[in-house]
Amino acid sequence: METTTFKKDIIDWISQLEDKKILMEIASIKRNATFNFEEEFKKGIPLEEARQKSIEKIRSYWKK
């Protein structure tokens, strides 16, 4: 099957889907296919900051 025809068949099938479970699976595949680890890593907080926040959170529980 030609790639263009194959893609069109999939697009037509997806556009007619109503099953939420299948749509969620497709969304998950898309998310995994477009995930950029380097960009997501840059959004994270530095280790020392995470450590400090964890310590503060634990100490707040002791005060209760």
Side-chain angles (χ1 to χ4, degrees):
M1 180 180 281
E2 188 180 326
T3 304
T4 307
T5 304
F6 184 64
K7 287 170 61 174
K8 184 177 179 336
D9 287 345
I10 292 173
I11 291 167
D12 291 343
W13 176 70
I14 290 173
S15 68
Q16 295 174 14
L17 272 176
E18 297 295 330
D19 188 325
K20 187 173 183 177
K21 184 177 178 183
I22 294 174
L23 291 169
M24 295 300 288
E25 286 287 328
I26 294 168
S28 175
I29 292 168
K30 178 185 175 197
R31 188 171 40 257
N32 290 339
T34 58
F35 183 79
N36 184 336
F37 180 80
E38 296 298 325
E39 286 298 315
E40 296 302 319
F41 187 76
K42 289 176 186 175
K43 295 177 188 175
I45 62 173
L47 177 61
E48 191 56 39
E49 184 179 341
R51 181 178 177 272
Q52 188 61 37
K53 286 183 178 186
S54 295
I55 291 170
E56 290 170 8
K57 189 71 163 176
I58 291 169
R59 287 184 178 151
S60 74
Y61 289 134
W62 286 344
K63 293 177 184 178
K64 291 182 179 182

